[in-house]
Amino acid sequence: MKFKNSLFTANGEHRAVVELTSLQTLWFNTGSLCNITCENCYMESSPTNDRLAYLTIADIEYYLTEIEEEFLKVEEIGFTGGEPFMNKEIGKIINNLKNYKNVSQIVVYTNGTILPKGNNLDALKDPKI
């Protein structure tokens, strides 16, 4: 019998439950576009690989709401890609995250070849990042 009930097994026994109390790292992929092509890139990001759409603030709202509602402690939220700074909303996303008390640190994995512009640069001035 297939899994049908989150509380009971097929034999009617109570399922084991482990409550989630914290997250070490919550990862978000900002998109698959990158300004360079690296031979060893695990997801084959490149200037032409737009297989994954750019992440938006709306895309992560569900997760941020759940973190707040469940009072989860999050050690860090990490952004990777492609190149995160090619995503025009990354600055807005980072600035939005700075308002969440339960998030200790924000990490952006970048190849360091793109100078963040405008809002993106301002977002990086916070010591939380």
Side-chain angles (χ1 to χ4, degrees):
M1 183 178 216
K2 291 184 178 181
F3 178 86
K4 293 192 183 246
N5 189 311
S6 62
L7 301 176
F8 297 97
T9 67
N11 297 333
E13 299 169 352
H14 286 277
R15 289 194 186 278
V17 176
V18 177
E19 294 293 327
L20 178 64
T21 58
S22 67
L23 295 169
Q24 177 142 2
T25 304
L26 177 60
W27 285 100
F28 289 103
N29 188 303
T30 61
S32 54
L33 283 171
C34 188
N35 60 315
I36 60 177
T37 303
C38 297
E39 191 174 304
N40 62 345
C41 181
Y42 76 96
M43 63 178 281
E44 301 173 343
S45 294
S46 73
T48 58
N49 181 355
D50 61 356
R51 177 173 67 232
L52 296 178
Y54 278 137
L55 183 73
T56 67
I57 292 173
D59 293 330
I60 65 173
E61 282 299 323
Y62 169 82
Y63 302 99
L64 299 177
T65 300
E66 184 176 17
I67 288 167
E68 282 200 330
E69 288 176 353
E70 299 294 326
F71 303 103
L72 295 175
K73 172 81 173 132
V74 181
E75 187 63 33
E76 66 183 9
I77 290 183
F79 293 97
T80 186
E83 170 51 52
F85 288 109
M86 288 185 69
N87 183 330
K88 291 183 169 110
E89 286 202 31
I90 193 66
K92 292 176 188 174
I93 291 169
I94 292 170
N95 279 326
N96 189 34
L97 280 173
K98 293 188 308 187
N99 299 322
Y100 286 85
K101 295 176 278 213
N102 295 355
V103 177
S104 300
Q105 185 174 347
I106 301 165
V107 178
V108 181
Y109 285 90
T110 174
N111 61 37
T113 62
I114 293 181
L115 179 63
K117 296 177 182 159
N119 229 0
N120 291 344
L121 189 57
D122 293 339
L124 298 178
K125 293 178 182 176
D126 192 297
K128 189 175 187 178
I129 301 170

